[in-house]
């Protein structure tokens, strides 16, 4: 089905057409339409136009009004504009016809996508997110990249964009020589068959890493053997690579178990770690040096920037290759850009990475631009995110001052949510299995929403008590609104069904809810364009709030206007539920039918 234009878009076009008809000398002027608390919409473009034409803005506004079809004077049996008045220095206050609100929502309801259009000319976005490190536990610092990245992927795909996921895991470097050498000398320490779960896999790796580190720090001969093993790893020695692959696979068992708890799908082909670009590193350096973008400085291959200075005011370079021949992170990141642009044919490279790495990515992107891998047609964006803080406003730590394990945090959120569900379960008659299932949906949803309802660039406080609250801006509030609607729809009697009735007048709460529902598509377009899932979260919270007001003020199953009004209000309930469900799905949050 074709997309459904929003009422705002329709009114904007009608005012623009009236403006051109009334004032042809103005050309194609923007009416500057926006939502208003004085009417449904307000057009402010007359003020700027009056200055341009040297006229009286109220007189110009009146001329425009004379060319606008309004319900009282229109021959259109279904007018969009109910009323329009000139106010102040020339503002147009526009009220939408009730019938237009209901008819537009009915058109949205007839479409599986709620009338939201797909992109006319979609591009290809490669998104780099959820980047854990091999042989290391995931901690709270890994939460935001995974949650924000997953939401952006869902939103872009719904918008029609071709999206390629990339999980740039840390699976290369000097520590792996130490780990592999220890495993060769102690082969019994890592038995893949024993790792039936993610926790067991991580337990094996933790034990291996701690033992290897202890020996590395205390035994000079082992340290030397480990360094030689790094050379073997980089050279592709068969035995070394086989063992390296073994604990990479062991780590993946753990990664996937944590992502499964987060209700995030990670597919193996999308996991392309640092090692995936090894074969490109030397050529990347050669291309940078031959083009003059990078130069040798004290034996290292560097890229310099006029606007990047150190504490003493000296230029700080991007080191692509170290003086000993080793490759830095920049070589890997630049090789990844080459691969994503030249082989994956990306138009946009999106990196969901901690804000503390902003300087590094600024230098990497500028280097890629200088050599031509990025240009006006292909651009890179860092979606930089802030830090997860504790209730005290400091970086989130355990009482012992250690980094919080992500798995522990998710388990606690699920347990806390299950307790809330259990309190409400008597009325619903939920089994213990259903309580635990809903506890996971509510708890994980609460963690995700707390993150996604905050602008990515800002820090936010992790407060589980607030996250699982039924009140306030929480996912539980949204989930409860959805479940309440499902309850109403189940209780509808025989012959009571959701059906749009454009001929009925709408109560103020119905109008407010309907106008907000109509903004769903425009909100998603803005969210996708700016990679801003927090704006979708804000839209959904306002939707749930408006529905709560509607529920309090407008009886549904016992509507005073009889069967037709019951049907219309059931229709408003149904399309609200569908919009909530679609929006929360795009944020990666479940919507239980009963709560």
């Amino acid at each position: 089905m074709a997309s459904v234009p929003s009422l705002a878009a329709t009114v904007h076009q009608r005012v623009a057409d009236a403006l051109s008809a009334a004032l042809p000398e103005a050309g194609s002027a923007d009416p500057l339409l926006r939502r208003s608390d004085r009417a449904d919409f307000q057009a402010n473009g007359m003020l700027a136009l009056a200055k341009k034409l040297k006229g009286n803005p109220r007189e110009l506004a009146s001329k425009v009004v004379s060319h606008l079809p309004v319900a009282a004077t229109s021959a259109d049996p279904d007018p969009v504009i109910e009323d329009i008045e000139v106010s102040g220095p020339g503002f147009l206050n526009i009220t939408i016809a009730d019938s237009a609100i209901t008819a537009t929502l009915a058109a949205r309801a007839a479409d599986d996508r709620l009338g939201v259009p797909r992109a006319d000319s979609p591009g290809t976005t490669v998104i780099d997110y959820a980047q854990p490190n091999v042989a290391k536990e995931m901690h709270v610092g890994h939460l935001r990249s995974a949650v924000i990245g997953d939401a952006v992927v869902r939103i872009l795909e719904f918008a029609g964009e071709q999206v390629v996921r990339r999980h740039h895991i840390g699976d290369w470097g000097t520590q792996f020589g130490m780990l592999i050498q220890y495993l060769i000398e102690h082969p019994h320490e890592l038995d893949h068959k024993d790792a039936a779960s993610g926790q067991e896999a991580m337990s094996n790796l933790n034990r291996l890493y701690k033992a290897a580190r202890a020996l590395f720090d205390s035994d000079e001969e082992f340290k030397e053997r480990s360094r030689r093993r790094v050379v073997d790893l980089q050279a592709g020695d068969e035995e070394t690579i086989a063992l390296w692959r073994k604990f990479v696979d062991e780590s993946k068992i753990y990664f996937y178990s944590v992502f499964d708890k987060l209700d995030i799908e990670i597919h193996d082909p999308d996991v392309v770690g640092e090692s995936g670009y090894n074969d490109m590193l030397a050529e990347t350096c050669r291309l940078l040096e031959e083009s003059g973008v990078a130069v040798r400085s004290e034996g290292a291959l560097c890229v310099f920037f006029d606007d990047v200075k150190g504490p003493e005011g000296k230029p700080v370079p991007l080191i692509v290759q170290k003086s000993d021949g080793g490759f830095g992170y920049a070589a890997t990141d630049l090789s990844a850009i080459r691969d994503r642009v030249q082989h994956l044919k990306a138009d946009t490279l999106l990196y969901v990475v901690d804000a503390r790495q902003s300087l590094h990515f600024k230098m990497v992107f500028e280097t890629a631009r200088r050599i031509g891998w990025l240009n006006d047609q292909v651009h890179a964006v860092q979606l930089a995110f802030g830090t997860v803080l504790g209730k005290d406003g400091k970086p989130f730590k355990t009482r012992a001052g250690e980094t919080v394990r992500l798995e522990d945090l998710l388990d606690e959120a699920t347990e806390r949510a299950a307790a809330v569900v259990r309190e409400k379960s008597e009325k619903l008659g939920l089994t213990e299995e259903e309580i635990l299932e809903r506890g996971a949906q509510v708890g994980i949803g609460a963690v995700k929403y707390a993150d996604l309802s905050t602008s990515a660039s800002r820090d936010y406080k992790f407060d589980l008590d607030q996250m699982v609250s039924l009140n306030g801006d929480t996912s539980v509030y949204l989930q409860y609104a959805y479940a309440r609607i499902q309850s109403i729809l189940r209780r509808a009697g025989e012959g009571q069904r959701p059906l749009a009735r454009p001929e009925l007048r709408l109560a103020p709460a119905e109008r407010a809810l309907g106008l907000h529902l109509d903004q769903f598509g425009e909100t998603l377009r803005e969210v996708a364009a700016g990679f801003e899932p927090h704006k979708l979260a804000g839209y959904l919270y306002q939707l749930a709030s408006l529905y709560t007001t509607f529920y309090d003020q407008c009886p549904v199953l016992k509507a005073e206007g009889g069967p037709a009004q019951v049907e219309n209000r059931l229709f408003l309930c149904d399309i609200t539920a569908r919009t909530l469900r679609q929006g929360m799905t795009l944020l990666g949050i479940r919507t239980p039918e009963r709560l």
Side-chain angles (χ1 to χ4, degrees):
M1 179 178 175
S3 63
V4 179
S6 68
L7 288 165
T10 300
V11 172
H12 184 280
Q13 187 60 53
R14 294 198 177 189
V15 176
D17 290 345
L19 202 155
S20 296
L23 306 167
E25 66 273 24
S28 55
D30 188 344
L32 299 178
L33 190 75
R34 63 176 180 82
R35 287 300 305 274
S36 170
D37 56 2
R38 296 179 178 271
D40 295 329
F41 295 97
Q42 187 176 84
N44 300 336
M46 303 309 127
L47 277 71
L49 197 56
K51 290 181 180 179
K52 177 181 176 182
L53 300 179
K54 295 182 173 57
N56 183 301
R58 284 187 64 89
E59 291 178 2
L60 295 180
S62 297
K63 287 184 180 180
V64 173
V65 170
S66 68
H67 284 77
L68 276 167
V70 180
T73 59
S74 174
D76 184 352
D78 297 307
V80 173
I81 299 175
E82 176 72 25
D83 186 41
I84 184 167
E85 66 172 2
V86 178
S87 71
F91 301 138
L92 296 183
N93 288 336
I94 301 167
T95 301
I96 303 299
D98 289 350
S99 58
I101 295 173
T102 305
T104 299
L105 294 182
R108 294 196 179 286
D111 178 32
D112 289 341
R113 291 174 53 84
L114 296 169
V116 178
R118 295 182 187 274
D120 293 331
S121 54
T124 298
T125 295
V126 176
I127 178 169
D128 189 325
Y129 69 108
Q131 312 104 342
N133 295 305
V134 166
K136 293 183 180 179
E137 288 184 307
M138 292 178 68
H139 53 77
V140 68
H142 292 108
L143 177 65
R144 301 206 72 186
S145 178
V147 170
I148 296 169
D150 181 61
V152 171
V153 166
R154 291 167 179 263
I155 291 163
L156 290 178
E157 286 185 334
F158 187 74
E161 183 79 353
Q162 177 70 35
V163 179
V164 180
R165 301 161 176 80
R166 278 294 177 265
H167 308 296
H168 192 88
I169 65 172
D171 65 350
W172 205 247
T174 55
Q175 67 171 327
F176 294 98
M178 174 191 78
L179 288 165
I180 294 169
Q181 188 61 35
Y182 186 84
L183 187 58
I184 287 174
E185 297 178 12
H186 304 81
H188 62 283
E189 290 285 350
L190 186 62
D191 186 351
H192 191 80
K193 293 179 181 178
D194 290 342
S197 72
Q199 288 180 328
E200 290 171 353
M202 204 63 237
S203 176
N204 284 342
L205 288 168
N206 270 343
R207 184 176 63 252
L208 172 65
Y209 185 86
K210 289 177 180 178
R213 171 56 67 182
L215 190 59
F216 187 87
D217 291 340
S218 62
D219 187 330
E220 287 298 324
E221 292 184 0
F222 176 74
K223 183 181 291 187
E224 181 57 33
R225 293 196 299 275
S226 297
R227 286 171 174 163
R228 288 200 299 270
R229 185 60 58 180
V230 174
V231 176
D232 293 337
L233 177 63
Q234 293 175 338
D237 174 71
E238 189 172 327
E239 179 190 24
T240 304
I241 290 293
L243 290 170
W244 167 79
R245 172 52 58 192
K246 187 169 185 176
F247 61 72
V248 168
D249 290 342
E250 201 77 12
S251 294
K252 284 183 179 180
I253 294 173
Y254 164 72
F255 296 157
Y256 295 169
S257 72
V258 177
F259 287 127
D260 187 56
K261 284 188 176 184
L262 260 177
D263 202 13
I264 291 176
E265 287 188 6
I266 299 290
H267 303 288
D268 210 56
D270 302 329
V271 179
V272 182
E274 296 168 353
S275 62
Y277 305 101
N278 283 338
D279 294 342
M280 301 178 67
L281 300 182
E283 185 180 9
T284 293
C285 291
R286 179 181 63 79
L287 292 170
L288 288 167
E289 188 169 13
E290 288 180 354
S291 66
V293 171
V295 296
R296 292 287 170 182
S297 177
E298 299 180 10
L301 185 63
C302 304
V303 182
F304 288 91
F305 308 87
D306 293 336
D307 60 342
V308 180
K309 301 286 196 303
E312 299 178 0
K314 295 181 179 179
V316 176
L318 180 70
I319 300 175
V320 184
Q321 187 176 26
K322 303 171 188 175
S323 57
D324 63 3
F327 299 105
Y329 287 120
T332 303
D333 288 331
L334 288 163
S335 296
I337 288 176
R338 282 179 57 211
D339 178 67
R340 294 168 185 182
V341 172
Q342 296 171 2
H343 297 123
L344 299 179
K345 306 301 181 184
D347 310 296
T348 302
L349 306 180
L350 184 60
Y351 293 77
V352 188
V353 182
D354 192 314
R356 288 170 291 189
Q357 297 188 46
S358 294
L359 177 59
H360 169 77
F361 279 101
K362 175 185 177 183
M363 296 163 77
V364 167
F365 295 163
E366 176 58 26
T367 298
R369 275 190 288 271
R370 289 180 184 181
I371 198 171
W373 299 332
L374 297 177
N375 50 48
D376 292 342
Q377 287 72 46
V378 184
H379 68 288
V381 179
Q382 183 193 359
L383 182 47
F385 56 82
T387 304
V388 181
L389 307 175
K391 291 183 182 181
D392 59 0
K394 297 178 181 178
F396 199 18
K397 302 283 186 180
T398 65
R399 290 183 179 179
E402 298 176 353
T403 302
V404 178
R405 293 172 68 240
L406 183 53
E407 206 163 13
D408 292 343
L409 182 150
L410 299 178
D411 287 343
E412 184 180 354
T414 297
E415 290 169 9
R416 193 80 64 87
V420 172
V421 174
R422 189 172 282 110
E423 288 178 12
K424 306 285 183 182
S425 64
E426 290 185 10
K427 293 181 181 179
L428 298 176
L430 299 178
T431 65
E432 182 63 18
E433 183 180 357
E434 289 172 326
I435 290 172
L436 294 177
E437 179 185 7
R438 282 165 176 73
Q441 293 175 343
V442 172
I444 299 304
V447 170
K448 288 184 173 183
Y449 186 83
D451 191 319
L452 295 170
S453 60
T454 304
S455 173
S457 61
R458 291 176 52 197
D459 300 340
Y460 80 96
K461 292 184 181 180
F462 194 93
D463 183 348
L464 272 178
D465 292 329
Q466 174 59 29
M467 289 179 186
V468 299
S469 172
L470 284 169
N471 301 311
D473 189 4
T474 68
S475 68
V476 190
Y477 179 66
L478 304 186
Q479 289 170 323
Y480 185 69
Y482 176 82
R484 172 187 278 172
I485 296 173
Q486 296 308 312
S487 175
I488 291 173
L489 295 174
R490 286 192 298 270
R491 296 201 318 268
E494 187 176 345
Q496 293 181 318
R497 56 183 180 143
L499 182 64
R501 294 284 192 174
E503 71 274 12
L504 297 181
R505 299 293 295 178
L506 299 176
E510 292 176 298
R511 288 180 54 82
L513 178 62
L515 287 168
H516 191 68
L517 284 164
D518 186 52
Q519 291 180 320
F520 185 54
E522 291 184 343
T523 299
L524 286 181
R525 184 173 65 247
E526 182 181 353
V527 167
F531 314 119
E532 298 173 301
H534 71 279
K535 290 185 177 180
L536 174 56
Y539 170 88
L540 294 174
Y541 173 63
Q542 189 176 358
L543 177 59
S545 300
L546 289 168
Y547 180 79
T548 298
T549 302
F550 160 79
Y551 178 82
D552 290 341
Q553 297 180 4
C554 302
V556 177
L557 300 179
K558 296 182 180 180
E560 65 279 4
Q565 193 172 59
V566 170
E567 290 179 335
N568 200 58
R569 287 181 177 174
L570 282 171
F571 165 73
L572 286 173
C573 288
D574 186 57
I575 192 170
T576 298
R578 287 177 58 191
T579 305
L580 278 171
R581 183 183 180 89
Q582 181 62 76
M584 293 179 75
T585 297
L586 294 177
L587 294 180
I589 298 173
R590 302 279 184 177
T591 45
E593 298 292 308
R594 300 171 188 264
L595 193 61

